[in-house]
Amino acid sequence: MDNLNHLLEGFAHVATPMNLLLALIGVTIGTAVGVLPGIGPAMTVALLLPVTYGMEPTQAFIMFAGIFYGGMYGGSTTSILLNTPGESSSVVTAIEGNKMAKTGRAAQALATAAIGSFVAGTIGTLLLVFVAPLVVEFAVSLGAPDYFALMLLSFVAVTAVLGSSRIRGFASLLVGLVIGIVGIDSVSGQQRLTFGVPQLADGIDVVVVAVGIFAVGEALWVAAHLRRKPAGVIPVGVPWMGREDWKRSWKPWLRGAAFGFPFGAMPAGGAEIPTFLSYATEKKLTKHPEQFGKGAIEGVAGPEAANNASAAGTLVPMLAIGLPTNATAAVMLAAFQSYGIQPGPLLFERESGLVWALIASLFIGNLLLLLLNLPLAPAWARLLRIPRPYLYAGIVFFASMGAYAVNAQPLDLFLLLTLGLIGFAMRRFGLPVLPLIIGVILGPRAELQGRRSLQLSGGELSGLLGGPVSYVIYTVIVLVLAWPLVRRYIARPLVERRA
């Protein structure tokens, strides 16, 4: 009951003209960046971080939440109309959505994607209201060894699950950990990796890292692979659905929400796995299996619902424990730190107004997205005609302005370009970007918790083991690391037996 009272207070805080305007700006920008391939919500939030320094934290996060949800909506438009997913989580939508568009049913595909996203987003946010405080109660009971184990799990999960190679994932994490330790050691007072440069004594600002890796790295990558031919978009009217479409969509929406929320809350769960699971489930349960692969509406409704429900699930570990589970959550965590706010168990107590206003803004943003997307889908599709050189030149300009605004020192521009080149090289050699960002943000915190555990145990390594929670986490880590060997050990006899 207390949660509902807090939520109502959050609605009262958001329902001011300025905050509603910021929510509208956020969802509009989020939808636009979701439509444009390559520009995701993570890059956009990173770019806007310096711009929001003049705002109150609550207002900034209302806008960021709109961008986060809007990015999930926008990706479906390009998937359906162009067969080009704006986000990796929209890949599955393209399988059936584009087939529907080519058979003249683009309006129905866009409508079921938009309404399904609204339904799943609302369910996911309601679950966030009730689940997050329970996670906070659990997190308060954890000690330093448990937190250390939890962060190790996060490192292993994002490096072992994401990308095509575990070695590349760990290499990316290592780069992030190295960047994260630049500066003065808080315990010994020694300088680490500063090379005698006084401006590096405070470390590299996480905003500069995020903007460099996401925005400049992506701009350089796109410039190297620029295609000047404008995208050809399938024309579409105002989205609508018939009675049969409603009948075939509502169950996939609910099932998609059930898949998306828990996966969003898990480290490295993301939105990709639940969208694929949702698609496979709908394909199995449908009464029209002959339409799958040719434009089945269930194949759009379920994955899009899973995609948006996972976005709400992502906020549970980020707010309650301070663990980001995807790139956008990592950048939003950096935003919290730039305002001097530390997400974690005490966030709900110390910044109660901010947290509940943020959650309330998700409900409002979700409604705004539905109202914005149904009539304006054809207009969003026209954004694809913007020439890429103009678009990415603007991104590099704003990235440079933003990085300089952080500390007003030219060194940050040099660091921005260096990090941009690192981001470009990572894309060139197939290294995932998220482990690097996780390493930069969580690395210093893992070091702090690890050292604290060792101090409590008088330097004994057994102090890192802690209690039952850390035992379970270390077991999961071992299973995640050993799974490829186990799978090979199980799969080989099966193949030999079949042969």
Side-chain angles (χ1 to χ4, degrees), residues 107-129:
Q108 288 79 5
L110 288 169
T112 193
I115 299 170
S117 297
F118 170 74
V119 171
T122 305
I123 293 172
T125 312
L126 276 172
L127 289 171
L128 169 67
V129 170

Side-chain angles (χ1 to χ4, degrees), residues 4 13 45 73 97 134 152 170-171 243 287 312 320 336 345 376 470:
L4 292 177
H13 198 87
V45 173
Y73 268 88
L134 297 177
L152 284 185
F170 280 109
R243 190 173 175 180
K287 294 178 181 174
F336 273 108
L376 294 181
S470 56

Side-chain angles (χ1 to χ4, degrees), residues 127-438:
L127 289 171
L128 169 67
V129 170
F130 292 104
V131 172
L134 297 177
V135 177
V136 167
E137 286 181 21
F138 169 72
V140 169
S141 66
L142 300 178
D146 302 320
Y147 271 109
F148 180 70
L150 205 55
M151 287 170 191
L152 284 185
L153 174 63
S154 186
F155 290 152
V156 171
V158 296
T159 50
V161 176
L162 297 176
S164 57
S165 161
R166 290 179 176 225
I167 295 175
R168 290 190 177 102
F170 280 109
S172 174
L173 175 67
L174 183 63
V175 175
L177 292 174
V178 170
I179 295 173
I181 63 169
V182 173
I184 294 177
D185 181 358
S186 58
V187 176
S188 67
Q190 296 291 317
Q191 291 199 9
R192 300 188 297 194
L193 298 176
T194 58
F195 303 105
V197 179
Q199 290 92 332
L200 289 177
D202 290 334
I204 301 175
D205 197 289
V206 73
V207 175
V208 177
V209 178
V211 174
I213 294 293
F214 279 111
V216 180
E218 182 67 25
L220 293 174
W221 177 250
V222 171
H225 299 80
L226 195 62
R227 301 287 181 273
R228 294 181 179 278
K229 187 180 175 183
V233 185
I234 297 172
V236 59
V238 176
W240 61 277
M241 289 170 65
R243 190 173 175 180
E244 181 66 17
D245 296 324
W246 280 95
K247 189 179 172 185
R248 291 175 57 179
S249 293
W250 71 272
K251 286 181 182 175
W253 291 338
L254 298 180
R255 284 193 287 262
F259 277 118
F261 185 82
F263 273 93
M266 286 192 296
E272 291 81 5
I273 297 173
T275 54
F276 276 101
L277 285 176
S278 172
Y279 180 77
T281 304
E282 297 312 324
K283 193 174 179 180
K284 195 171 183 180
L285 296 179
T286 184
K287 294 178 181 174
H288 308 277
E290 73 285 354
Q291 291 184 12
F292 267 78
K294 298 175 184 173
I297 196 166
E298 296 93 336
V300 180
E304 270 304 303
N307 184 9
N308 266 59
S310 75
T314 299
L315 295 178
V316 175
M318 191 196 80
L319 295 174
I321 311 178
L323 287 178
T325 58
N326 66 18
T328 311
V331 180
M332 285 181 75
L333 195 65
F336 273 108
Q337 291 179 346
S338 69
Y339 278 104
I341 300 169
Q342 189 62 55
L346 296 179
L347 181 68
F348 279 74
E349 187 180 322
R350 291 177 179 166
E351 301 287 344
S352 175
L354 167 65
V355 172
W356 289 104
L358 171 64
I359 295 174
S361 74
L362 293 176
F363 286 101
I364 292 174
N366 217 16
L367 181 62
L368 288 173
L369 278 167
L370 184 68
L371 299 175
L372 205 66
N373 273 267
L374 281 178
L376 294 181
W380 295 126
R382 292 196 190 99
L383 285 177
L384 293 164
R385 299 182 188 279
I386 295 176
R388 291 289 184 274
Y390 298 155
L391 190 64
Y392 283 93
I395 286 173
V396 172
F397 173 75
F398 284 109
S400 305
M401 292 281 288
Y404 185 74
V406 173
N407 297 311
Q409 59 185 20
L411 179 68
D412 281 339
L413 291 176
F414 172 74
L415 292 173
L416 181 78
L417 179 61
T418 306
L419 290 162
L421 290 171
I422 292 174
F424 173 79
M426 291 176 70
R427 287 165 174 81
R428 168 66 182 80
F429 295 106
L431 272 68
V433 173
L434 180 58
L436 184 147
I437 298 294
I438 296 284

Side-chain angles (χ1 to χ4, degrees), residues 442-454:
L442 291 188
R445 293 172 60 189
E447 181 190 10
L448 176 70
Q449 298 293 351
R451 280 181 159 186
R452 193 172 287 169
S453 304
L454 290 173

